[in-house]
Amino acid sequence: MKKVLVATEKPFASAAVAQIKEVLDKANYELVLLEKYTDNADFLKAVEDVDALIVRSDKVTKEVIDAAKNLKIVVRAGAGYDNLDLNACTKANIVAMNTPGQNSNAVAELAIGMAVMIARGNYNGKAGTELRGKKIGIHAYGNVGRYVGEIAKGFGMEVFAFDPFVNDEHIKKDGVTPVSSVEELYSNCQYLSLNIPSNEKTKKSVGFDLISKMPKGATLINTARKEVINEEELLKVFSEREDFRYVSDIAPDCKDEITGKYEGRFFFTPKKMGAQTAEANINAGVAAANQIVDFIENGNETFKVN
Ligand code: 3PG
């Protein structure tokens, strides 16, 4: 019997676990559950004899791969796979996959939700501002970016996008205006939704030069990764622009230099919350389980990322 470990430091909703189990039961696979672990040693132990692994943002390091003697496939139930050591997976002949698009709506709803929250002064009782009529720029028009655009249009915002990998016609079809450079996007838009992945090229790529181009009342919304921000330069923007506000799904490393000093101009989730809905957990978790079964039974490698 094949064993599938679901290792989630931040657990899926119980309905998602139940549905993952249904998929695995049907294939006659065993589900092994490791939730809310605080000691990585527990992860290393649990992975020892499993054939497949499902994780969220859990770090699948070379140490984990080395400990996983039977592992054939790891699926990141989500979009960003910056938590997987792809080289270690490839060297060990392990297929790595993600589940693109499955949790995107949840992330986009949080992005706009945080925009509303900061526009209303974090609900402090004082008069805030509205999103209607404002311009929002979408930095990377992928699955999350598209949903952000759709929701923003519902709010009556003007939507712009920059993505060198997506055809302009495709963007226009959604009623979104493509712009030809990232600088143009930031210069145009009061709200900016950051949806780029974190990789060697994008880490620290959003800093003073870009952010300070934003018009008055600038709000940067980060539901991507904290690593894509140049934090030293973020602090410079905070100190030089009183109108600048920053909302982020999980706090930056420089959080202590912001809180207390720039009250009302930021909001940080206490834990990465973007994909933390029952719907997103079910979509991503079930997709991961199905991809594992389809890979083991039929060799389907559609969502392979290594
Ligand atoms: C993703 O990359 O899919 C999101 O950041 C969600 O991450 P999570 O599964 O840790 O919530």
Side-chain angles (χ1 to χ4, degrees), residues 70-246:
N70 287 339
L71 195 65
K72 289 144 198 89
I73 175 167
V74 50
V75 183
R76 191 286 190 240
Y81 46 88
D82 46 314
N83 54 322
L84 310 182
D85 185 332
L86 293 184
N87 278 337
C89 289
T90 305
K91 278 192 190 140
N93 213 13
I94 292 166
V95 167
M97 293 186 185
N98 66 347
T99 65
Q102 299 292 346
N103 59 18
S104 311
N105 181 64
V107 178
E109 285 191 11
L110 183 76
I112 299 294
M114 291 196 298
V116 172
M117 186 171 169
I118 200 77
R120 296 299 182 99
N122 289 338
Y123 308 126
N124 62 0
K126 297 185 186 148
T129 55
E130 300 179 20
L131 299 191
R132 180 170 296 277
K134 308 292 188 310
K135 292 177 177 166
I136 184 167
I138 300 176
H139 188 172
Y141 200 66
N143 292 308
V144 177
R146 285 186 186 93
Y147 279 116
V148 169
E150 195 182 308
I151 300 167
K153 278 194 294 166
F155 272 80
M157 300 184 89
E158 266 185 82
V159 187
F160 299 81
F162 172 73
D163 194 326
F165 303 105
V166 180
N167 194 294
D168 279 3
E169 292 314 309
H170 191 88
I171 297 176
K172 282 184 198 159
K173 200 165 52 62
D174 293 342
V176 172
T177 306
V179 298
S180 52
S181 71
V182 71
E183 289 78 13
E184 190 184 340
L185 189 75
Y186 281 71
S187 309
N188 247 337
C189 301
Q190 206 165 31
Y191 286 85
L192 203 298
S193 176
L194 209 40
N195 304 114
I196 54 177
S198 171
N199 55 41
E200 286 321 308
K201 279 198 183 134
T202 61
K203 274 183 190 157
K204 291 184 190 277
S205 66
V206 178
F208 186 82
D209 285 351
L210 270 183
I211 306 170
S212 58
K213 285 193 166 40
M214 292 179 74
K216 201 167 167 12
T219 297
L220 182 62
I221 309 158
N222 184 3
T223 53
R225 293 286 184 271
K226 65 179 179 183
E227 287 82 1
V228 302
I229 300 284
N230 181 322
E231 293 196 3
E232 230 168 87
E233 295 182 13
L234 174 77
L235 290 172
K236 187 167 178 232
V237 184
F238 261 108
S239 74
E240 290 190 9
R241 292 255 319 244
E242 272 182 26
D243 64 312
F244 172 71
R245 295 169 300 181
Y246 181 53

